[in-house]
């Protein structure tokens, strides 16, 4: 079932679902396993929402009650990089105290065909990049992206984000091997980007 659920609350966060487009086909992606996420309505969008529609949704919520506003969803938010930038900046104007996070596969520069990290300046406080694995071969096997050089592109994007966003982190899911966890930790240390090892369903 398709819907127009593009802003939704889960636990203490508000999530923004801008698009279902994504250049990856991750083996673990919840897009392949269920129609809704975490008890929300269906997140398969009937159509992509306009920026003003997303912003209007925030009138329905007491934003101060939530820990974070998160660009996330059934797809890669940076498929709409300019809109992430615009919406994030508008939300910052309206809710200066709100913490805004972007969850991303880190392939924005490949998607958009140009550097994009600068668009996040003043729009988000945290960028959480899915590292997924500590080496290119396993990364490619798990995420199955469109481009052969995706692993390096993702790392470069994360490093670039440090220039524009106060907090950048990598995430891996705890189902990967100990070797991959250790490789991920080594990359994290080398690039100076903290690693969050998260539970499969968090
Ligand atoms: S990058 Fe995210 S949305 Fe895209 S396939 Fe992987 S888990 Fe799913």
């Amino acid at each position: 079932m398709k819907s127009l659920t593009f802003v939704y609350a889960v636990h203490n966060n508000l999530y923004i679902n801008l698009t279902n487009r994504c250049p990856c086909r991750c083996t673990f992606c919840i897009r392949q396993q269920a129609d809704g996420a975490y008890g929300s309505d269906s997140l398969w969008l009937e159509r992509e929402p306009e920026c003003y529609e997303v912003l209007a949704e925030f009138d329905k919520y007491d934003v101060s009650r939530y820990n974070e506003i998160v660009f996330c969803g059934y797809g890669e938010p940076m498929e709409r990089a300019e809109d992430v930038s615009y919406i994030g900046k508008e939300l910052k104007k309206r809710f200066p105290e709100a913490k805004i996070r972007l969850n991303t596969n880190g392939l924005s520069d490949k998607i958009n065909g140009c550097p994009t990290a600068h668009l996040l300046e003043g729009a988000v406080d945290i960028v959480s990049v899915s590292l997924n694995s500590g080496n290119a071969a396993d990364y490619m096997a798990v995420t199955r992206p469109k481009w052969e050089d995706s692993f390096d592109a993702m790392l470069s994007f994360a490093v670039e984000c440090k220039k524009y966003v106060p907090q950048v982190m990598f995430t891996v899911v705890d189902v990967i091997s100990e070797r991959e966890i250790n490789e991920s930790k080594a990359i994290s240390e080398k690039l100076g980007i903290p690693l969050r090892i998260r539970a499969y369903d968090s």
Side-chain angles (χ1 to χ4, degrees):
M1 188 182 76
K2 293 191 174 183
S3 77
L4 265 180
T5 302
F6 42 79
V7 175
Y8 59 99
V10 177
H11 305 309
N12 296 320
N13 291 339
L14 283 172
Y15 291 87
I16 304 173
N17 180 23
L18 283 184
T19 181
N20 291 148
R21 286 179 283 154
C22 182
C24 300
R25 291 183 302 117
C26 298
T27 53
F28 59 83
C29 182
I30 55 174
R31 297 195 310 172
Q32 300 179 32
Q33 295 164 20
D35 194 33
Y38 311 106
S40 67
D41 294 339
S42 170
L43 298 179
W44 288 108
L45 296 168
E46 214 171 271
R47 63 175 172 80
E48 293 187 352
E50 302 288 339
C51 293
Y52 76 86
E53 293 178 296
V54 174
L55 292 166
E57 281 294 296
F58 281 83
D59 294 340
K60 298 178 184 171
Y61 295 93
D62 176 358
V63 172
S64 67
R65 288 184 50 216
Y66 295 90
N67 288 343
E68 291 181 335
I69 297 170
V70 186
F71 287 97
C72 183
Y74 270 16
E76 167 52 47
M78 293 302 275
E79 287 275 358
R80 296 182 58 184
E82 295 280 355
D83 292 339
V84 167
S85 180
Y86 174 75
I87 292 168
K89 287 171 187 167
E90 284 299 310
L91 289 174
K92 277 278 167 202
K93 278 186 216 160
R94 295 184 193 189
F95 313 108
E97 303 301 319
K99 197 185 280 184
I100 303 181
R101 170 162 50 108
L102 167 69
N103 287 353
T104 178
N105 59 26
L107 298 178
S108 179
D109 292 356
K110 298 294 289 181
I111 293 167
N112 294 286
C114 59
T116 52
H118 63 282
L119 295 172
L120 300 173
E121 188 169 24
V124 305
D125 302 288
I126 306 168
V127 175
S128 177
V129 179
S130 300
L131 182 61
N132 285 316
S133 179
N135 70 81
D138 286 322
Y139 170 89
M140 293 299 285
V142 168
T143 60
R144 300 182 290 180
K146 274 187 190 170
W147 307 282
E148 285 299 319
D149 60 347
S150 290
F151 187 68
D152 287 341
M154 174 269 297
L155 296 180
S156 299
F157 177 77
V159 170
E160 198 61 13
C161 281
K162 291 204 295 178
K163 294 182 191 166
Y164 303 104
V165 176
Q167 198 180 341
V168 181
M169 67 172 85
F170 284 130
T171 63
V172 292
V173 182
D174 64 1
V175 295
I176 63 175
S177 67
E178 197 179 332
R179 172 182 56 80
E180 286 177 84
I181 296 269
N182 288 334
E183 289 170 343
S184 300
K185 284 179 180 169
I187 287 176
S188 156
E189 277 172 31
K190 184 178 161 200
L191 300 183
I193 296 175
L195 176 68
R196 178 175 165 239
I197 302 169
R198 64 182 183 86
Y200 177 65
D201 61 351
S202 72

